[in-house]
C-alpha cells in the first residue's frame, strides 16, 4: 500500500482532520461536484460526517448500513462501487434516493478505506451531470483511500500512546503523592497530637485539636486506600477528592477565603494569576496535557508556569508545591 502524494494526511495525526481533508481532496481529485468521507462506527454502519460541495444537508451525517446505496455496497463487499445513473441503477438499493436526488446527483463512485484487511470507512464522490467516473479517476480515488487508511491507523496509535503517557504520568504523581503527602500528613498529625497534649488543661482547645488530629488520620487512611502503589491505574482526581472528603468529614473548619483574601495570599506568594490557576489544576490531580486543555494553553506553557510556581514557593516538585500552596491557603 502506498500513500503516494497524500502522505501529508498521515502527519495530521487526527482522525477527524484526515477524513475532513479526504472529502475535500476527493472532490478535487476526481473532478466531482461532491466529496464525502465517513468511518465505520458502531454496528458496522458508515456515517458520512465530512463533506465538500453539497448544496443541502441531506447527505450530512448520513448513516449508511451495509448493503444500502453506493456506500452500503462498498461496506458489504469491501470493493469499489461505481454507477453512471444513480436513480436508475439496478446494482444498488435506493434507500437514499431522497437526499441524493435533492443534490441532483447522477453519477457516484465509492471506494473502501482498508488497512490490514479491516474496513475502516468509505470515501465517495458524485457528479450532478456529465459522464460517469473513469477507471483512472477510480484508481486515483483508491490511492487517496489507501492514504486515509494509513492516516486513521497512525492517528489511533498516537492517541493510544498519548493515553498511555497520561496514565504513566498519573501513576508517577500518585506514587509521589503517596510518599510525600503521606509523610506530610503523618508529620502534621504528630505535631497536632503534641499540641493537644500541651493544652490538656484547656478542654475546648484540646477538643478542637483532637478534631484536627482525627481529620488528618482519616485523610491518611483515604490516601493509602486510594493511591495504592500496586494499582495499575490510579484515578488521581478521585483520590484527591476522597482525601479532601476525609479531611472535612468532621471537626472544626476554617471558612474558605473570599476572593479578596485569596488575591492577597496569591500576591504575597508572588504568584501570577496564571501560575495560580495552573497550580490549582495540578492540585486536582490533572496532568499537564489535561491542564493545557482545561485552560486553553500550550503544554510547554503549562510546564513553564508550574516550574515558575515551584521556584516561587521554594518547592522541589509539584507535590511539594501543592503542599506548600495548601499551607499558604492558596487552594
Amino acid at each position: 500500500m502506498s500513500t503516494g502524494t497524500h502522505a501529508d494526511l498521515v502527519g495530521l495525526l487526527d482522525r477527524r482532520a484526515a477524513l475532513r481533508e479526504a472529502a475535500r481532496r476527493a472532490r478535487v481529485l476526481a473532478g466531482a461536484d461532491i466529496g464525502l468521507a465517513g468511518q465505520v462506527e458502531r454496528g458496522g454502519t458508515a456515517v458520512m460526517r465530512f463533506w465538500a460541495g453539497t448544496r443541502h444537508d441531506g447527505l450530512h451525517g448520513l448513516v449508511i448500513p451495509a448493503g444500502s446505496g453506493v456506500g452500503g455496497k462498498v461496506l458489504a463487499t469491501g470493493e469499489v462501487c461505481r454507477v453512471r445513473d444513480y436513480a436508475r441503477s439496478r446494482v444498488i438499493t435506493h434507500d437514499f434516493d431522497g437526499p441524493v436526488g435533492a443534490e441532483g446527483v447522477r453519477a457516484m463512485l465509492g471506494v473502501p478505506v482498508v488497512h490490514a484487511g479491516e474496513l475502516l470507512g468509505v470515501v465517495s464522490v458524485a457528479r450532478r451531470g456529465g459522464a460517469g467516473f473513469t477507471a483512472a479517476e477510480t484508481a486515483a480515488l483508491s490511492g487517496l483511500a489507501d492514504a486515509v487508511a494509513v492516516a486513521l491507523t497512525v492517528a489511533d496509535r498516537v492517541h493510544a500512546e498519548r493515553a498511555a503517557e497520561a496514565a504513566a504520568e498519573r501513576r508517577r504523581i500518585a506514587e509521589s503523592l503517596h510518599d510525600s503527602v503521606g509523610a506530610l500528613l503523618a508529620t502534621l498529625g504528630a505535631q497536632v497530637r503534641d499540641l493537644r497534649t500541651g493544652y490538656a488543661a484547656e478542654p475546648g482547645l484540646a477538643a478542637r485539636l483532637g478534631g484536627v488530629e482525627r481529620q488528618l488520620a482519616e485523610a491518611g487512611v483515604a490516601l493509602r486506600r486510594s493511591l495504592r502503589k500496586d494499582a495499575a491505574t490510579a484515578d488521581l482526581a478521585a483520590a484527591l477528592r476522597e482525601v479532601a472528603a476525609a479531611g472535612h468529614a468532621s471537626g472544626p473548619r476554617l471558612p474558605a477565603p473570599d476572593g479578596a483574601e485569596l488575591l492577597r495570599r496569591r500576591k504575597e506568594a508572588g504568584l501570577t494569576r496564571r501560575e495560580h490557576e495552573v497550580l490549582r489544576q495540578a492540585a486536582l490531580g490533572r496532568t499537564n496535557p489535561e491542564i493545557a486543555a482545561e485552560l486553553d494553553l500550550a503544554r510547554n506553557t503549562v510546564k513553564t508556569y508550574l516550574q515558575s510556581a515551584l521556584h516561587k514557593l521554594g518547592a522541589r516538585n509539584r507535590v511539594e508545591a501543592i503542599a506548600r500552596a495548601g499551607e499558604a491557603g492558596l487552594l
Side-chain angles (χ1 to χ4, degrees):
M1 180 185 295
S2 173
T3 59
T5 58
H6 306 294
D8 58 309
L9 290 176
V10 177
L12 294 174
L13 303 180
D14 182 88
R15 268 184 167 263
R16 293 179 61 84
L19 289 166
R20 184 180 296 108
E21 175 60 16
R24 186 200 67 79
R25 198 171 295 192
R27 180 189 181 205
V28 175
L29 188 67
D33 296 302
I34 298 171
L36 299 165
Q39 60 186 353
V40 176
E41 300 189 10
R42 186 175 301 176
T45 61
V47 184
M48 311 307 281
R49 299 189 185 278
F50 305 95
W51 54 85
T54 56
R55 293 173 178 171
H56 308 284
D57 62 3
L59 297 177
H60 300 177
L62 189 67
V63 178
I64 304 177
S68 298
V70 168
K73 187 162 187 179
V74 173
L75 284 179
T77 64
E79 299 177 354
V80 170
C81 180
R82 183 171 56 183
V83 297
R84 288 180 176 273
D85 189 340
Y86 190 98
R88 297 182 180 180
S89 176
R90 294 183 178 180
V91 299
I92 60 170
T93 69
H94 291 274
D95 304 80
F96 308 119
D97 280 5
V100 172
E103 289 287 348
V105 167
R106 183 173 180 83
M108 184 172 280
L109 165 66
V111 299
V113 177
V114 180
H115 182 78
E118 180 183 1
L119 185 61
L120 305 179
V122 178
V123 176
S124 299
V125 288
R127 286 191 181 127
R128 295 187 173 96
F133 293 96
T134 66
E137 290 166 340
T138 301
L141 196 65
S142 294
L144 172 61
D146 287 346
V148 172
V150 175
L152 297 183
T153 303
V154 170
D156 287 346
R157 290 175 181 171
V158 169
H159 178 76
E161 288 172 2
R162 288 174 177 170
E165 289 172 2
E169 185 176 355
R170 286 193 185 93
R171 286 194 296 272
R172 180 183 59 78
I173 296 172
E175 291 179 2
S176 184
L177 276 170
H178 184 281
D179 295 338
S180 302
V181 179
L184 177 63
L185 288 172
T187 300
L188 289 174
Q191 291 173 348
V192 171
R193 185 163 53 254
D194 290 343
L195 283 172
R196 180 168 58 83
T197 302
Y199 285 98
E202 300 182 38
L205 181 56
R208 293 184 65 186
L209 289 171
V212 173
E213 185 181 350
R214 285 193 300 275
Q215 287 178 303
L216 290 169
E218 290 166 0
V221 171
L223 182 70
R224 288 191 295 273
R225 183 171 61 249
S226 303
L227 299 178
R228 298 188 310 274
K229 282 192 173 183
D230 60 348
T233 56
D235 185 342
L236 189 55
L240 290 170
R241 285 194 295 271
E242 188 170 353
V243 170
H248 290 286
S250 61
R253 295 190 297 272
L254 293 174
D258 58 23
E261 175 62 16
L262 195 60
L263 177 61
R264 184 192 68 76
R265 293 178 185 179
R266 174 170 68 77
K267 289 184 175 180
E268 190 175 79
L271 297 176
T272 66
R273 178 179 62 84
R274 276 302 199 187
E275 289 167 352
H276 188 211
E277 288 175 345
V278 168
L279 191 59
R280 294 181 75 177
Q281 291 293 319
L284 293 174
R286 293 195 170 105
T287 64
N288 285 5
E290 290 170 338
I291 295 172
E294 178 68 22
L295 300 181
D296 195 22
L297 297 172
R299 295 185 185 185
N300 286 340
T301 303
V302 169
K303 185 177 180 181
T304 299
Y305 282 137
L306 274 175
Q307 289 175 337
S308 179
L310 262 64
H311 175 72
K312 291 177 179 178
L313 292 171
R316 292 168 297 179
N317 53 54
R318 67 195 288 156
V319 174
E320 190 173 316
I322 292 168
R324 294 196 176 188
E327 292 170 358
L330 291 166
L331 302 179

